[in-house]
Amino acid sequence: MAKTKKVILDCDPGHDDAIGILLGFASQDLNYLYKLDILGITIVAGNQTLEKTVNNALKIVEYANIDTKIYPGYAQPLIRDLEIAPEVHGETGLDGPEFPGISGSPEKKHAVSFMIDTIRESQDKVTVITTGPMTNLAAAMIGAPDIIDNIEEIVFMGGSAYTGNWTPAAEFNILVDPEAVQFIMKSDLKKKMVGLEVTRKAMFYPKDINNLKSDRSSVARMAGELLEYFVQFHINEKGMPGCPLHDPLAVASIINPDILKTEPYSVNIECGGQYTTGRTVVDFDGDSFDTPVTDVALDVDVKAFKEMIFEALKSYR
Ligand code: BDR
Ligand code: CA
C-alpha cells in the first residue's frame, strides 16, 4: 500500500528540473512506495534569472495541465552575485520545445514565506526537495528556525564527493550559493545529497530520447524535445554519450527509496577556496569534521530509475 509524503519542490527550471516536476506530480499515478503530495513549487534563480525560471515552471505545469501554485523566491544567492548556465539550458533556460504562451501567473507570496507558513501549518512533517541553488531553503531556516522540527528530510540534488561539473571541484547548484548550503549542512536535520556520483551513472541516450519523442503522450514528446536539447550540450561540449537527469533522480529517490544507496558522512562546503569554492567536502574517514551527517548517495539502480522516468512521462495523457 503506497504512502503519501508531503513535499515542497524548490527548483530553477532548467531542463532536468522540468522533468523532476513532471515526475513528482506523476507519482500519484505510479505504483511505488511513496506518492508525493506536492504542496507548491518554489522557484529560485540559478540555471537562468528568476524571471525566466518562474516562467519556465509555469510553461511546464500549464503544458502538462498540472494544478499547482508557483512561488517566486530569491533572485540571487545569499551573498554572492548570481551565476547562470545559458551554455547548458539556453537563453530561456528551457530551450528546445516550442511552448504556447503562458496564461497563468505566479503567486504574489514569496517562496520563503510560503515555505515557512506551509511547513509550520502542516499536520505531517514536510520533505523539502531542492534541485537548484539552496538559497530559498536556507533563508527559510534562518528566518524561522522553528520550522526545522517539522521538516522530515531535505533531499537535494547537488554536490559531488569527488569531482565537479562547473569547476573541477564544484557542482553547479552548490557553487552558485555555497554559503546557503553550508548553513543547511550544519543543521541536525535528515539530509540526502544526490550528487554527480550517482546522476552521472544514470545516462539517457539518444535512443531513449527518440523513444520519448515518438510516444503518444504529448507530455512525453515535449520531455523528449527538452532532452534532445539537453543531450546536445553533453555530447558536444562534455564528450558524453548521453545526458544525466540530475534533478529527477532526487525526486525519484523519495518515490522509491531503494533507487539510491547512501552512506552517512559529515559534509562541509568550501566557501573560501581559490580553486575549490563550492566543493562538497565529504569526510569519508569520519575523523575530521563534527558537522551533523548527511546521507551521501554513492550508488544508483539505473534500470529502476530509467523505468520510472519513462513510466512517469508516458502516464500524462
Ligand atoms: C544541476 O545544475 C543545473 O544545471 C541542473 O538543473 C542541475 O540541477 C546539475 O549540476
Ligand atoms: Ca536544477
Side-chain angles (χ1 to χ4, degrees):
M1 208 11 214
K3 302 180 219 169
T4 296
K5 268 195 198 281
K6 299 237 180 271
V7 163
I8 293 175
L9 185 50
D10 185 70
C11 56
D12 64 335
H15 294 73
D16 50 340
D17 302 82
I19 293 176
I21 293 172
L22 295 171
L23 171 60
F25 283 96
S27 69
Q28 289 290 344
D29 299 319
L30 305 180
N31 285 317
Y32 292 97
L33 189 55
Y34 290 104
K35 294 178 187 290
L36 308 189
D37 176 9
I38 300 179
L39 306 171
I41 302 180
T42 53
I43 308 293
V44 68
N47 284 325
Q48 260 297 355
T49 60
L50 183 68
E51 193 188 352
K52 291 182 182 178
T53 54
V54 167
N55 275 343
N56 292 343
L58 285 166
K59 285 180 203 164
I60 291 298
V61 298
E62 288 185 8
Y63 194 96
N65 246 322
I66 293 169
D67 184 17
T68 190
K69 291 187 169 147
I70 309 289
Y71 297 87
Y74 267 69
Q76 61 175 70
L78 291 182
I79 297 172
R80 292 165 192 262
D81 291 337
L82 176 65
E83 183 148 354
I84 56 174
E87 305 85 326
V88 189
H89 299 275
E91 270 315 305
T92 63
L94 207 54
D95 278 12
E98 283 285 323
F99 288 98
I102 299 166
S103 59
S105 37
E107 299 303 300
K108 296 267 179 300
K109 190 168 188 170
H110 193 278
V112 173
S113 306
F114 169 76
M115 272 187 184
I116 293 172
D117 292 348
T118 306
I119 295 170
R120 262 191 195 144
E121 286 159 18
S122 178
Q123 299 278 319
D124 304 313
K125 289 194 171 199
V126 177
T127 298
V128 182
I129 310 174
T130 69
T131 64
M134 298 178 85
T135 321
N136 289 338
L137 177 59
M141 288 167 62
I142 293 166
D146 62 287
I147 63 171
I148 291 171
D149 288 342
N150 213 24
I151 296 180
E152 179 163 312
E153 186 183 9
I154 293 168
V155 179
F156 66 99
M157 189 283 131
S160 89
Y162 303 105
T163 58
N165 62 357
W166 208 248
T167 71
E171 181 280 329
F172 179 76
N173 289 339
I174 310 298
L175 181 78
V176 173
D177 199 347
E179 286 79 12
V181 191
Q182 178 62 6
F183 177 81
I184 293 166
M185 291 298 101
K186 285 195 279 180
S187 114
D188 283 328
L189 272 167
K190 190 166 159 54
K191 324 173 232 26
K192 181 160 65 185
M193 171 169 134
V194 182
L196 300 176
E197 281 69 46
V198 282
T199 66
R200 279 176 173 158
K201 278 185 193 157
M203 290 281 196
F204 280 69
Y205 301 104
K207 72 171 182 342
D208 299 318
I209 295 167
N210 287 338
N211 175 334
L212 289 171
K213 280 183 63 195
S214 60
D215 196 72
R216 65 196 175 112
S217 156
S218 61
V219 173
R221 293 200 299 275
M222 178 271 286
E225 286 178 28
L226 280 174
L227 289 183
E228 190 168 48
Y229 183 91
F230 199 51
V231 82
Q232 284 313 316
F233 166 79
H234 291 85
I235 292 174
N236 297 336
E237 304 299 324
K238 295 274 181 189
M240 293 178 173
C243 59
L245 277 195
H246 307 283
D247 297 337
L249 185 53
V251 179
S253 75
I254 305 174
I255 299 169
N256 174 8
D258 291 339
I259 279 187
L260 290 181
K261 295 267 173 294
T262 65
E263 295 288 342
Y265 295 114
S266 279
V267 180
N268 279 320
I269 311 302
E270 176 60 81
C271 295
Q274 187 177 359
Y275 302 111
T276 53
T277 300
R279 179 166 182 149
T280 41
V281 187
V282 178
D283 185 10
F284 282 112
D285 288 338
D287 50 14
S288 295
F289 299 157
D290 52 13
T291 317
V293 295
T294 292
D295 293 321
V296 178
L298 293 172
D299 207 0
V300 49
D301 183 338
V302 176
K303 186 164 174 282
F305 171 57
K306 290 182 70 168
E307 273 172 16
M308 185 194 289
I309 292 289
F310 285 119
E311 207 185 330
L313 295 173
K314 293 178 178 197
S315 73
Y316 285 90
R317 290 284 164 252

